[in-house]
Structure formats: C-alpha cells, structure tokens
Amino acid sequence: MDIGIDQIGFYTPNKFVDMVDLANARNQDPNKFLIGIGQDRMAVADKTQDAVAMGINATAEYLDQVDLEQLGLLIFATESGIDQSKSASLFVKEALNLPVNIRTFEIKEACFALTAALQVARDYVRAHPHHSAMIIGSDIARYGLNTAGEVTQGAGAISMLIKESPAIIALEDGHASYSENINDFWRPNGSPVAMVDGHYSRDVYLDFFKETFKEYLAQTKLTVSDFAGICYHLPYTKMGFKAHRIAIQGQDEETAKRLSDNFQLSAKYSRQVGNIYTASLYMSVLSLLENGDLEAGDRIGFFSYGSGAMAEFFSGKVVDGYQRRLRPGLHKRMLQERTRLGVGQYEDIFTEGLENLPENVEFESDANHGTWFLAGQEGYVRKYQQK
C-alpha cells in the first residue's frame, strides 16, 4: 500500500526585508548575505501572523479538496507554540470547522517536528487505510536584531494531507535516523529569541547528514545516482549546499549536474522566505516540485534535521500527474505581491513581536493573501478571524 503526500499548501507573510537593504543597514557587504548565506529576501511576520494563523492559511489552500469524513488525525508541528499547554492544532480545527471526532495534538523537536508528524501520520494511515491525516508545520524564526543569526530568520507554514494512494509523493520504506543530546540551538522558557552556536550547529548538521545518508544508502542498497533530487532542511540555503556537495562528491558528471540543478530549484522558495524551522525541508520539496521538471517515478531524498539534535534521511517517489495537485501560480503571486519593508519598519515589527500580548487587545490585518489572521486576545484567549 502506497502512503504519502496527497496535498500540500504553503503560506508566508505579506511582508519582507531585502537582504541588500539589511546588509547596508548592518554595514556588511551584501554578498555576505546573498552569496555567503544564500538569501535574497526574508519574510517578516507581524503581530497578526502567528504560527496558528499561518498554519490555517496554508491548510485552507487545499481544504476544499479534502474528504473530511475520512480525516482522522491532525498534527501541528512547531517550535513557535502559542500556549504552554494547549495545542495549536485546536485553533486550526475550530477555524476550519474540522470534524469533532479527529485526534489532534502538537509536536515539538526543533526543526525536526514536521518530519516526526509525517512519520506518525504515515503509521496512522497504515493502521487505518481508509482514513487520512493532516499535518502542519508553522514557525517564526527569531534570533534577534543585529545578531549573527539575524539573516537566517523568516516565517511561514507548510500543510500536507497524508493518505493512501497519494497524488504527489509516495513515501518509500526505510529510513536512517541519528540523534544526540547537544546544545547547538535552543530557546529556554521565557526567551522570545533562540540561542545558537552557529559554527557548531553547521558542523553538527553536516555530521548528521553524513551519518544518515551513508546509513540509508547501505540499508536500501541505493546509490546516489538513483536520486533525481535531494531536498534538505534549509535554515539558510548555503547550509543545504554544503550537505549537497558532500552528497555529490565523487559522482559522475551527469549525476552531479542533475542533483545540483535540482538543488538550486529546491532552494528558490527558501531564498525568498528564509528559515521557517520545522517546515523548511518541505518548502524545499514544494519548491522543487513547482519549479522543476520531474517525471513519474523520480526518487527524491529527504534530509530532515532538528537542532538539539535529531536527523533522519528517507525518500519518496513522484506520482504520475502530481502537477495537477500543485498551485505554482498562487505561490508565485503570494511571493511577488508582498510589501518590501524598510529596515526601520522591519525592526519595529520584530520588536513588537517579542512582546507578550495584553489580556485584551484587537488587531486588524493588511494581508492581501491568506484570509485568516490573529484578530487579538480576549481574557488571554486568542481569537482568529477570516477577512
């Protein structure tokens, strides 16, 4: 029984800061950001676009294509949770009027969480083949103004429907996992921004890639040439490129070119959005699907990494007719029609986003894509509305 991705939705806020503007404001050579980090723009979430609102909008994109009577599971993966107890998935469930009898909860493990949700969803569908599962990864990456990690911030959400006989990607059997308790990145209670050892995190990411990729190839008896493309968790695109160079080392020219060309296509959305933590790998997958020219049966490798640290490598095959399930025109317009912020405007929005909401407050949204937004808080209860 084939199980995999049947629908995929994508949302990112309607504001961004240009990396050249940010580099000039920080007295840096723009090429340090454009080439050294590999980013062109960085999405900026205002106070109306929290993880829940972005997750709702990403899911609403394909909701009319879902048989809700078959939906049995909803998982929200995030490290930008809005409550220490209550799952963000319950807000999504209410906003989209999902069935009352579905199982729903939240998962956290840094940027690995959406992969964890995917594996749970896959096992659920395997055990309940006539049911589907909805998984959402939504995050706002915050490192602080004028910090080493500032250029690797971003915001966005990916939502996927997992079911049998999927229309986009059928997941293959087998996976290679690797984990260690390390401190390359973390966010203690009470801190609105992450703490990170950037150089250490880069080294761990690459070490974990080597471990999982080598183990996966040994386990499955596949070779690098068997992949049409490999998608990576992209906290910034240059990080994934470093892993990509390891993957193609010693390969024939045709294989190296194919994987390199598809890596660049998989990084297109990331260059425009930035880091979206747990959904970054799947934004890479979507970017390859919508910007590439894959054929039915092509194999895509998935490298998932979450600081702290947990990594996994697995693969899937593209399904015939997958293009009919995608919405590249919608996503192109969403990215093109965003508002370019001045650095001062970005700094004001960022600083405001660090503050706890008062007990009672109301917001209005200026978003031109996505109809759901955080409308405020009443008695410390968040309220979401549709424009």
Side-chain angles (χ1 to χ4, degrees):
M1 176 174 60
D2 285 339
I3 300 171
I5 302 170
D6 187 72
Q7 295 280 353
I8 183 166
F10 168 44
Y11 181 80
T12 192
N14 65 321
K15 301 177 179 67
F16 72 92
V17 62
D18 187 273
M19 291 297 96
V20 174
D21 294 342
L22 186 61
N24 290 334
R26 302 295 183 248
N27 296 314
Q28 299 286 340
D29 179 354
N31 285 331
K32 180 179 179 180
F33 294 173
L34 299 174
I35 300 174
I37 299 296
Q39 297 301 133
D40 297 322
R41 296 176 172 182
M42 181 176 76
V44 178
D46 67 26
K47 59 191 176 185
T48 72
Q49 296 167 318
D50 65 0
V52 169
M54 293 190 298
I56 295 172
N57 284 317
T59 307
E61 182 181 303
Y62 65 81
L63 188 64
D64 62 349
Q65 302 297 311
V66 178
D67 183 348
L68 295 181
E69 291 186 359
Q70 291 186 340
L71 183 64
L73 178 66
L74 170 64
I75 307 175
F76 198 109
T78 187
E79 54 186 282
S80 307
I82 61 168
D83 190 276
Q84 288 283 68
S85 176
K86 186 176 179 180
S87 170
S89 62
L90 291 167
F91 293 94
V92 177
K93 180 176 176 291
E94 179 185 48
L96 299 180
N97 196 29
L98 301 181
V100 296
N101 59 343
I102 63 174
R103 183 181 298 159
T104 180
F105 51 91
E106 184 176 313
I107 288 180
K108 173 178 67 66
E109 200 326 277
C111 301
F112 181 77
L114 189 52
T115 295
L118 174 62
Q119 302 300 357
V120 170
R122 182 185 187 181
D123 288 344
Y124 173 82
V125 174
R126 184 181 287 117
H128 307 84
H130 300 299
H131 290 273
S132 62
M134 188 177 286
I135 60 174
I136 301 167
S138 184
D139 272 306
I140 302 171
R142 293 189 176 107
Y143 294 92
L145 300 176
N146 208 9
T147 63
E150 181 180 31
V151 69
T152 65
Q153 298 177 141
I158 290 285
S159 178
M160 296 180 285
L161 185 73
I162 310 303
K163 63 185 291 291
E164 67 170 337
S165 302
I168 299 178
I169 292 177
L171 298 173
E172 295 191 281
D173 291 336
H175 70 280
S177 299
Y178 192 87
S179 62
E180 287 186 29
N181 180 22
I182 62 172
N183 295 308
D184 62 328
F185 169 105
W186 69 104
R187 183 164 69 87
N189 286 336
S191 175
V193 296
M195 299 181 181
V196 61
D197 183 336
H199 293 295
Y200 182 42
S201 189
R202 175 201 62 200
D203 293 344
V204 172
Y205 175 103
L206 296 176
D207 287 345
F208 277 38
F209 172 71
K210 293 174 188 176
E211 290 284 348
T212 56
F213 191 47
K214 177 183 177 181
E215 171 60 25
Y216 187 77
L217 294 181
Q219 175 193 125
T220 60
K221 310 302 187 215
L222 294 172
T223 66
V224 177
S225 62
D226 290 319
F227 293 88
I230 300 175
C231 293
Y232 304 84
H233 166 55
L234 297 178
Y236 53 93
T237 64
K238 194 62 173 288
M239 179 82 95
F241 182 67
K242 290 177 184 292
H244 163 73
R245 286 191 299 188
I246 294 171
I248 66 170
Q249 187 174 12
Q251 299 302 309
D252 63 86
E253 184 176 345
E254 180 182 351
T255 296
K257 184 179 188 306
R258 179 179 69 253
L259 294 178
S260 295
D261 289 347
N262 282 335
F263 172 79
Q264 295 300 328
L265 295 173
S266 74
K268 287 189 71 171
Y269 288 168
S270 179
R271 292 191 69 96
Q272 296 296 311
V273 174
N275 191 358
I276 58 173
Y277 284 159
T278 192
S280 292
L281 165 61
Y282 300 92
M283 182 169 64
S284 172
V285 173
L286 180 63
S287 183
L288 175 57
L289 292 171
E290 294 194 338
N291 294 291
D293 186 22
L294 300 175
E295 297 181 356
D298 278 351
R299 176 178 286 111
I300 298 175
F302 294 67
F303 174 61
S304 182
Y305 175 81
S307 292
M310 175 71 216
E312 187 165 321
F313 193 96
F314 58 102
S315 67
K317 286 188 175 181
V318 175
V319 176
D320 185 32
Y322 74 94
Q323 299 94 334
R324 293 191 292 271
R325 279 285 207 268
L326 304 177
R327 302 162 186 84
L330 172 65
H331 300 146
K332 182 178 180 180
R333 290 193 302 274
M334 180 174 65
L335 293 170
Q336 288 180 337
E337 296 175 4
R338 295 178 296 171
T339 298
R340 180 175 180 170
L341 299 174
V343 173
Q345 293 173 301
Y346 144 69
E347 291 176 338
D348 289 344
I349 291 173
F350 181 91
T351 301
E352 188 175 40
L354 302 182
E355 300 171 356
N356 291 326
L357 297 183
E359 180 179 358
N360 299 291
V361 65
E362 293 184 1
F363 300 138
E364 295 291 336
S365 171
D366 63 1
N368 52 356
H369 283 271
T371 62
W372 286 90
F373 67 100
L374 174 62
Q377 194 163 258
E378 183 178 342
Y380 291 111
V381 176
R382 292 193 177 214
K383 304 293 182 181
Y384 295 90
Q385 290 183 6
Q386 192 172 20
K387 290 186 68 175

